[in-house]
Amino acid sequence: KQVTMVNYQIEQTVGAIHVSKIAGGNKYLFAVASGANEAINVKIFDGSSNLVHNENFLVNGSFGLVYNLKDVVGVPTFEVTDKTGTTKVIKY
């Protein structure tokens, strides 16, 4: 006889991701809502798809950050990846 204990957990993904341009400059508000500790990676690309920023965060609940992209040429693209590998692309 063999007994094995298995624990199943549902992988939680980032609940909501929002990017909005702030009036009066080339600044963008990046906001994330998550139910629990969630590791995310944020990449920002310029209008020519060149990587200009890459950062990892640990989000617990709600999180917001303002990015000043004054030196970025073209329309920026935000790429957010969670711990399950799910990627959301936001082109402003």
Side-chain angles (χ1 to χ4, degrees), residues 41-63:
N41 174 261
V42 178
K43 293 180 183 176
I44 303 175
F45 298 90
D46 65 8
S48 300
S49 297
N50 297 314
L51 181 65
V52 295
H53 185 76
N54 185 8
E55 192 168 5
N56 294 311
F57 294 104
L58 183 61
V59 178
N60 187 12
S62 297
F63 173 78

Side-chain angles (χ1 to χ4, degrees), residues 10 12 15 18-19 23-24 26 30 33 36 40-41 48 53-55 63 67 72 75-76 78 81 88:
I10 298 173
Q12 295 182 353
H18 179 75
V19 176
N26 204 15
F30 172 77
I40 62 169
N41 174 261
S48 300
H53 185 76
N54 185 8
E55 192 168 5
F63 173 78
Y67 286 103
V72 173
V75 178
F78 290 76
T81 306
K88 183 172 183 180

